Amino acid sequence: MSDLLKGLNFQLLFDAAVDAMLLVDDKGMIIFANNPAQEMFGYTKEQLCELNVDALMPPRYAHHHQQHRQAYTQSPEKRAMGSGRPLVAMRKNGEEIQVDIGLSPIETDQQRYTLVTIYEAERRKQAEESFKTSEERLQLAKDAAGLGVFDFDSNQNVLHWDEKMRELWGAESEDSIIPNKRFITAIHPDDRAARQASLEVAINPKGNGEYSAEYRVINPATQVERWVSAIGRMHFEDGVATRLVGVARDITEQKLLEKKLQEQRAETESISQQMVAAHTASAIAHELNQPLAAISAYSEVALHALQTNTHYSDNLKRALEGCVEQAQRAGGSLHELLAFLQKGDLIVARFDLNDAVKEALNIARGSGYVEFHPLLQLEENMPEVIGNKIQVQKILVNLLRNAVEAMRGARLKSSAIKVEVRTNAASNMAHVSVQDNGPGLEAEIAKRIFEPFFTTKTSGIGMGLAISRALTEANGGQLWLEPNTETGTNIGATFHFTLPFATQGA
Ligand code: ADP
């Protein structure tokens, strides 16, 4: 240690200081000055060492200063000069400068000295100004963004919060500290668990400490609910989470808008399904009218033949043959009708099936079907398929919607929907499966689900799967329910559909 310090001397240390320093004896004579002092006052060090400190004051203060200096020598202590008031010093060229001065007594056996440190007040002021400006800027930005700031201290279990936070929480008191328990009381009981889960993620020392949560806050006085989005970062000490600093903002309007949009989308979807249903119903009525009328006429003939017993077998045979023929015609009409529904102006193109699946998941979510975890198993580097992408997405959205509706209300451990995209080796087609965790299908129901208008839902139309099957076939593929779920085992339902790959150059 002493070796290291050998080369250092008093003057070197003195000169290394950033601030101007003078060593003054008890008569006020300067006996040592450093480089910054030389620069500040415009004297050389040698010149300074011939001066009394009083000479560094404007003459009008010099006398006063002398008295102060003498009083200081009576009771020397470490303190700031001028009790915080700005002081004036004078450069060699007579220019006056505002300064802050610190005094520290140094005593040796023989002498008493004072170490005088001089700071240019302008520099301090500038630093203060720029700090104030940046603080003001921050405040302005915070206000403009409507942000409240919070600082949670987990050791004390209290939260420091600003005015905006108090306003969001509807707090009556202006205390800048609130016990954590009281802070949580205002959070909607249904949202506390989710918030706690986000907090636990942030508390985990293995994570990145990021905190993000959305929850409702109930104003204790008015009972009005507001949605709040809070983000922050956890601070750790020795691996223990100690402090969470973050910002919160009111997102009620945004949430209302989202809800309205979702309702609108759901409404549009339901209206379009109702329209399809209405069109289909009227088309079916039209197509079936004639065969039904014929069946009715043949039946009357058959009845009449039975009643009158005339030409019994011949007439009856002909009437029954007519019934069979008309019934088959009715069946044919239905088939044609579905084929017509799927036809339209089918525009086909090559597309990436994995992309279509991801987009369909977003469409389903955007339509209000949000309560599921998608488990995607997508085959990489799969060739493109050919078909009408919008129709394929419609099939997927229908399957996802059915899966979510089947899982809603059922007491589920997991609300996962597995969507798998792979190549079906047997048919050399792209193969998509959608597997849910819902209650599955009873065998009797499974038999009928592709029939138009078959539904087990109170608000269902029963056209989703009929249309989806028609659309899949129009795109050159097939749609089916996995046979083992048809036995009604409670393992959820798995639907599959296939699509042709685009051939080279198609
Ligand atoms: P809707 O959804 O209007 O009822 P769909 O044709 O889409 O019409 O479905 C017909 C019926 O098939 C549903 O009412 C339901 O009983 C059954 N179903 C469809 N998908 C599932 C599924 N994933 N899990 C259980 N049942 C299903």
Side-chain angles (χ1 to χ4, degrees):
M1 186 79 156
S2 56
D3 276 356
L4 276 172
L5 293 176
K6 218 180 254 168
L8 285 175
N9 64 32
F10 188 57
Q11 181 71 54
L12 261 177
L13 284 174
F14 227 49
D15 285 337
V18 179
D19 300 303
M21 286 176 160
L22 303 170
L23 192 65
V24 177
D25 69 12
D26 53 3
K27 304 228 163 30
M29 289 308 292
I30 299 172
I31 54 165
F32 229 90
N34 68 354
N35 285 342
Q38 177 174 286
E39 277 159 34
M40 182 182 277
F41 291 104
Y43 293 100
T44 62
K45 279 191 239 173
E46 294 70 29
Q47 287 169 336
L48 278 170
C49 288
E50 284 166 5
L51 290 177
N52 188 291
V53 272
D54 297 345
L56 299 178
M57 299 276 138
R60 61 184 185 283
Y61 298 127
H63 177 65
H64 208 61
H65 180 250
Q66 210 175 352
Q67 288 172 351
H68 275 295
R69 194 165 43 71
Q70 274 155 10
Y72 180 80
T73 12
Q74 302 308 311
S75 57
E77 56 174 347
K78 196 169 159 186
R79 66 173 170 86
M81 210 173 125
S83 325
R85 271 179 288 117
L87 302 165
V88 183
M90 195 178 66
R91 292 201 164 104
K92 186 181 174 191
N93 62 7
E95 189 191 337
E96 294 188 6
I97 43 171
Q98 291 220 334
V99 288
D100 293 318
I101 297 179
L103 303 173
S104 314
I106 299 176
E107 216 155 321
T108 64
D109 292 347
Q110 307 91 27
Q111 259 284 21
R112 187 184 282 164
Y113 302 96
T114 306
L115 180 67
V116 184
T117 317
I118 308 138
Y119 319 91
E120 245 184 286
E122 202 47 41
R123 253 175 45 207
R124 172 174 56 86
K125 258 213 225 127
Q126 267 172 9
E128 275 175 10
E129 264 321 296
S130 82
F131 179 65
K132 219 171 110 202
T133 321
S134 71
E135 235 196 3
E136 274 169 8
R137 260 194 221 121
L138 192 66
Q139 183 69 31
L140 278 174
K142 198 168 77 71
D143 290 350
L147 292 176
V149 178
F150 62 87
D151 184 347
F152 170 62
D153 177 344
S154 66
N155 290 329
Q156 307 290 327
N157 209 20
V158 294
L159 202 108
H160 299 257
W161 58 356
D162 70 351
E163 201 185 328
K164 181 72 194 173
M165 285 293 288
R166 292 197 288 275
E167 185 192 316
L168 283 175
W169 258 248
E172 278 173 0
S173 119
E174 289 188 1
D175 278 356
S176 59
I177 298 183
I178 180 173
N180 190 33
K181 215 166 141 200
R182 278 227 331 266
F183 178 80
I184 294 169
T185 314
I187 294 173
H188 196 296
D190 291 354
D191 300 341
R192 286 183 203 160
R195 178 185 168 271
Q196 186 60 29
S198 309
L199 211 54
E200 270 153 30
V201 171
I203 283 171
N204 186 348
K206 289 194 189 113
N208 57 7
E210 269 171 26
Y211 166 73
S212 163
E214 284 183 4
Y215 47 82
R216 282 161 293 178
V217 172
I218 308 170
N219 185 307
T222 60
Q223 296 299 308
V224 171
E225 280 179 20
R226 308 288 305 167
W227 272 98
V228 165
S229 157
I231 51 170
R233 183 172 286 279
M234 191 64 83
H235 294 254
F236 296 88
E237 265 171 42
D238 300 327
V240 179
T242 53
R243 192 177 166 198
L244 175 67
V245 184
V247 290
R249 76 192 162 92
D250 189 334
I251 53 161
T252 313
E253 300 304 321
Q254 188 184 324
K255 281 274 174 193
L256 284 177
L257 205 70
E258 266 172 30
K259 195 163 163 240
K260 231 187 230 161
L261 273 175
Q262 269 183 15
E263 281 168 4
Q264 269 171 7
R265 280 205 202 105
E267 210 174 303
T268 323
E269 178 72 7
S270 138
I271 288 172
S272 82
Q273 282 218 1
Q274 278 169 18
M275 274 168 61
V276 171
H279 281 143
T280 317
S282 75
I284 288 174
H286 179 79
E287 290 295 321
L288 294 191
N289 215 14
Q290 232 203 328
L292 282 177
I295 288 170
S296 147
Y298 280 121
S299 306
E300 265 176 40
V301 172
L303 253 181
H304 187 71
L306 279 172
Q307 279 162 359
T308 56
N309 217 2
T310 49
H311 305 290
Y312 180 79
S313 58
D314 263 10
N315 277 355
L316 199 58
K317 186 167 169 262
R318 227 176 307 133
L320 288 176
E321 275 170 359
C323 281
V324 170
E325 190 190 316
Q326 290 303 321
Q328 277 173 354
R329 191 178 145 199
S333 294
L334 264 184
H335 200 80
E336 274 171 29
L337 188 68
L338 284 175
F340 168 77
L341 273 178
Q342 60 191 249
K343 215 168 16 171
D345 273 339
L346 191 65
I347 302 164
V348 295
R350 314 162 64 113
F351 64 92
D352 183 313
L353 189 53
N354 290 343
D355 285 350
V357 166
K358 287 181 210 155
E359 285 164 22
L361 283 167
N362 286 336
I363 299 172
R365 286 191 181 284
S367 318
Y369 293 92
V370 286
E371 60 274 48
F372 68 94
H373 299 300
L375 302 174
L376 286 185
Q377 289 183 6
L378 308 176
E379 182 175 304
E380 281 176 30
N381 307 322
M382 211 174 63
E384 284 179 319
V385 293
I386 185 145
N388 183 296
K389 190 172 170 185
I390 296 182
Q391 291 186 343
V392 172
Q393 284 177 335
K394 192 148 184 66
I395 302 164
L396 274 160
V397 171
N398 266 335
L399 296 180
L400 290 168
R401 189 193 52 136
N402 274 343
V404 172
E405 281 178 351
M407 294 192 300
R408 262 181 203 164
R411 282 197 194 139
L412 301 169
K413 281 205 194 84
S414 146
S415 56
I417 297 181
K418 190 167 103 184
V419 183
E420 190 183 357
V421 177
R422 62 190 161 87
T423 302
N424 189 330
S427 58
N428 195 27
M429 303 263 262
H431 185 132
V432 183
S433 348
V434 178
Q435 181 183 5
D436 64 56
N437 257 317
L441 293 105
E442 293 292 332
E444 283 312 303
I445 289 173
K447 269 189 218 153
R448 302 193 53 201
I449 53 171
F450 292 104
E451 289 173 19
F453 304 111
F454 175 80
T455 181
T456 55
K457 300 169 192 167
T458 41
S459 59
I461 293 168
M463 285 304 289
L465 286 175
I467 292 175
S468 297
R469 180 170 260 184
L471 291 178
T472 327
E473 286 170 6
N475 280 278
Q478 292 202 313
L479 168 69
W480 69 97
L481 172 70
E482 190 165 299
N484 65 2
T485 55
E486 286 178 12
T487 56
T489 46
N490 263 2
I491 53 153
T494 310
F495 283 87
H496 301 270
F497 68 90
T498 52
L499 287 172
F501 287 121
T503 47
Q504 292 298 316

